[in-house]
Amino acid sequence: MTKEDVLVLLNAYGKAWEQQDTDLILSIFTPDASYFDPFYESPVQGHDGIRHYWNTKVCQEQSDIKFNLLNVWLDGDEAIAEWEATFNDLVKKEHKHIREVAIFKLKDDKFGDLREYYKSRVLSQL
């Protein structure tokens, strides 16, 4: 995959997050993909696991999401992306800023694996 191909997938990732669109997020992952969030004990597996994670964490617990892709690097069959975002954490009733680095394994013109590492800070209370 080229950097332009990866940018298309990453922009779709950002759009899916902002619009809380589960179908769009699944469209950029292979059916057997894994999705690792460091605050969960183990990665979620496949479209069913990603759908559940996305519906629970993104669609039910977040709102007013703004995504900004900062940097992208390619290394063979891996892409590394850096982004920042702001969103409302509906569970903690906080408006947050997040800075993230994500490592994607590329497979069949999609993401076959995601490992994300992030730090967030509270901007204000809701």
Side-chain angles (χ1 to χ4, degrees):
M1 291 180 72
T2 66
K3 185 173 183 177
E4 290 74 24
D5 296 330
V6 172
L7 284 170
V8 168
L9 293 176
L10 289 167
N11 285 323
Y13 182 97
K15 182 178 178 182
W17 191 13
E18 288 180 336
Q19 296 179 359
Q20 298 173 297
D21 186 334
T22 303
D23 291 333
L24 181 55
I25 201 66
L26 292 176
S27 76
I28 63 171
F29 283 93
T30 61
D32 61 344
S34 64
Y35 193 118
F36 173 76
D37 179 321
F39 292 97
Y40 285 70
E41 195 168 303
S42 59
V44 296
Q45 299 294 326
H47 276 189
D48 288 343
I50 294 169
R51 178 183 292 106
H52 180 265
Y53 171 88
W54 202 262
N55 283 337
T56 303
K57 184 166 183 178
V58 175
C59 297
Q60 292 178 14
E61 297 181 5
Q62 298 176 355
S63 70
D64 195 28
I65 302 156
K66 306 286 188 274
F67 175 87
N68 182 34
L69 183 61
L70 300 172
N71 293 297
V72 178
W73 300 271
L74 285 182
D75 184 17
D77 67 347
E78 288 190 329
I80 302 167
E82 177 187 24
W83 63 74
E84 63 183 355
T86 58
F87 63 94
N88 293 330
D89 181 327
L90 301 174
V91 174
K92 295 182 179 177
K93 298 184 179 6
E94 299 170 335
H95 183 63
K96 291 184 172 179
H97 174 269
I98 188 171
R99 187 76 174 245
E100 179 163 334
V101 171
I103 303 165
F104 296 89
K105 193 70 118 172
L106 307 172
K107 180 181 173 188
D108 300 331
D109 297 326
K110 294 185 179 193
F111 295 138
D113 179 53
L114 164 62
R115 297 182 319 271
E116 59 182 3
Y117 304 94
Y118 56 88
K119 177 135 176 104
S120 62
R121 63 185 169 93
V122 176
L123 298 175
S124 63
Q125 298 297 315
L126 297 179

XYZ file of all heavy atoms in Angstrom, residues 5 21 82 107 118:
46
model
N -2.802 5.540 -0.040
C -3.795 4.521 0.321
C -4.060 4.529 1.827
O -5.203 4.440 2.273
C -3.320 3.122 -0.094
C -3.172 2.939 -1.586
O -3.909 3.599 -2.352
O -2.308 2.134 -1.986
N -19.741 6.202 13.346
C -20.275 5.350 12.288
C -19.614 3.968 12.354
O -18.500 3.775 11.845
C -20.018 6.030 10.939
C -20.650 5.310 9.776
O -20.873 4.082 9.861
O -20.901 5.977 8.749
N -0.054 9.453 13.943
C -0.168 10.291 15.132
C -1.329 11.242 14.904
O -1.435 11.839 13.834
C 1.121 11.075 15.341
C 1.074 12.033 16.509
C 2.297 12.933 16.595
O 2.957 13.159 15.559
O 2.566 13.409 17.702
N -3.163 -5.142 5.646
C -3.480 -6.464 5.094
C -4.647 -6.325 4.129
O -5.679 -5.751 4.491
C -3.844 -7.415 6.240
C -4.197 -8.812 5.807
C -4.574 -9.659 7.009
C -5.088 -10.991 6.580
N -5.635 -11.759 7.703
N -2.276 6.140 23.904
C -2.739 7.518 24.001
C -2.696 8.035 25.429
O -2.628 7.269 26.393
C -4.155 7.659 23.438
C -5.184 6.748 24.058
C -5.886 7.127 25.198
C -5.478 5.508 23.497
C -6.845 6.305 25.755
C -6.433 4.680 24.047
C -7.113 5.077 25.174
O -8.052 4.243 25.720
